[in-house]
Structures are given as C-alpha cells and as structure tokens.
Amino acid sequence: IRELQGYSERSSTPVLRREFGGTRIVVILEFEPHLRVYDSADAQRFQSFPGGFVGGLDERSTLTEHAGVQAGIQLNLHPLGARRVLGLPLSELRGQCVSFVDLVPSERHLTQELTELPSWEARFARVERFVLERLHNAPEVDASVRWALDRLGAVSGQLSVEQLARELGYSHKHVIARFHDQVGVPPKLWARLLRFERLRTELQRGT
C-alpha cells in the first residue's frame, strides 16, 4: 500500500479536477453521489462507477467531476501489490478506469459496508482486511521485476531498457513481457512516469 486515505469534500459549485498519471494503481471506493470520470481520449464521454473503480497506469491525465459533494476512500497500490490484490495482468488495466465490482465481484458490497461503518478508523481497518485477505493466497511477484523496479527507482528512471535487460541477464523481449504482466506498462514508459513524478515533486517544492 502506497497510501490509504479517506476524503470528504464540499463545494458550493461543481468541481472539475485533473488527475495526472503516475506510478500507482488507484482504487477509489466512493460513497454516493458518484464521480464522473471522463475518457482521457474523448473529453465528451464519461462514466460513473457504483461500487468504486480502479485506475490503471496511464501516461495521460484524466478529468473527474462532482456536483459539489463527495466522500470515500482512496487506496493507492504499488503495481506489484496491485498485481497480487487484483489477480490479473496489469496490462489489462493500462489507460483505463474499470469497475471495482467487476474486478473483485466477491467484494461487491464493500463500498456499502464502508458507508455504514461509524468511523474512518473502522473503514480503514475494513480496507486493510480486504487487502490482507486478497494477499493471503496470491502468488508471489516476479523477483526479477521487483529488482528492476528498485533499480529504475534508484536512478529516477534514468536507465535504458537495453542496460536494464543486460543487468538482469534476460532478453529485451522477456523483460518487456514481464513488465506488461506485473506492472502494466513496458519499462520505458515506467521510467518516463518515474521522471514525471520526480518533476512534479520538484515543482511542488519550488526547486
């Protein structure tokens, strides 16, 4: 888990927000009313997701909108954690927002449960229990991919795929295939997302 946070927002006017791409798989378990999530390729199209949604890795930004009131829980997962929790190749989520209920039908009532719980602490505990239960029987992640992500993170994405493949001792094609399954994007795009996140951090610091 990268982050787990509850949110409640009220505004006298509708709120349109641009969500930037990054290195997290985002799980939104929202209470009613539901967000509008606009198609990153077509700003005229949007979806809402009763029961919550999951956002895959994407180099594009996404617009979300609500009428002035929203609340829920946001769970940000490291891709290797998301691969185990969600139980599917993360390439299937790339550039998409997908219904949480469709991905995890056994937890189709989770959002309703969270709404009815009496405190944020109880809600966080319920989400953590969901994650632990999903991890219990999940297969381990690919150790070579874990090493590659650590290596790229240590140099903020400043490493070519060719060099990474040489250090791993695998073919270029094999490394890309493992990244598609375990991370959701090829290593070149992952490195670009790392560099973009570093840039955003530096801008926020004013450096």
Side-chain angles (χ1 to χ4, degrees):
I1 294 177
R2 287 273 186 86
E3 295 168 304
L4 174 59
Q5 52 188 251
Y7 60 87
S8 180
E9 183 175 33
R10 291 184 177 273
S11 170
S12 59
T13 59
V15 175
L16 184 67
R17 180 173 286 121
R18 184 177 299 279
E19 307 288 355
F20 289 104
T23 61
R24 307 164 300 171
I25 304 296
V26 179
V27 181
I28 300 293
L29 302 169
E30 55 179 347
F31 314 149
E32 292 185 7
H34 304 297
L35 281 169
R36 288 182 172 186
V37 182
Y38 286 88
D39 191 319
S40 56
D42 182 355
Q44 301 304 311
R45 297 175 55 194
F46 66 85
Q47 291 180 279
S48 294
F49 299 92
F53 62 90
V54 179
L57 297 184
D58 197 347
E59 65 268 39
R60 300 168 298 182
S61 62
T62 302
L63 293 174
T64 63
E65 184 178 33
H66 65 80
V69 177
Q70 71 159 166
I73 283 182
Q74 179 166 335
L75 170 67
N76 295 333
L77 295 172
H78 187 284
L80 297 184
R83 178 65 178 86
R84 300 183 70 204
V85 169
L86 300 175
L88 80 165
L90 292 189
S91 57
E92 295 183 19
L93 298 179
R94 178 178 173 180
Q96 299 186 69
C97 286
V98 180
S99 166
F100 175 79
V101 173
D102 289 346
L103 290 176
V104 194
S106 62
E107 293 287 352
R108 59 186 176 277
H109 301 304
L110 177 58
T111 300
Q112 185 61 38
E113 288 182 42
L114 294 172
T115 303
E116 295 171 355
L117 287 171
S119 68
W120 287 108
E121 288 76 12
R123 291 167 181 160
F124 295 147
R126 177 64 180 89
V127 173
E128 289 173 356
R129 189 165 77 251
F130 153 69
V131 172
L132 288 170
E133 288 172 354
R134 297 287 295 184
L135 290 175
H136 182 67
N137 293 317
E140 289 295 328
V141 299
D142 188 317
S144 64
V145 176
R146 183 194 298 275
W147 182 91
L149 293 182
D150 289 343
R151 178 75 173 94
L152 286 166
V155 295
S156 300
Q158 301 286 347
L159 187 70
S160 70
V161 181
E162 291 75 13
Q163 178 64 29
L164 185 66
R166 280 197 298 271
E167 293 183 13
L168 283 168
Y170 292 126
S171 70
H172 192 150
K173 184 177 181 180
H174 178 81
V175 172
I176 291 175
R178 299 311 299 149
F179 262 73
H180 275 296
D181 179 84
Q182 301 274 306
V183 183
V185 296
K188 186 174 181 179
L189 178 52
W190 176 259
R192 190 184 310 150
L193 291 171
L194 284 172
R195 295 194 299 271
F196 180 67
E197 282 195 340
R198 180 179 179 182
L199 172 63
R200 288 186 63 200
T201 299
E202 296 300 325
L203 288 171
Q204 290 166 352
R205 291 174 178 167
T207 55

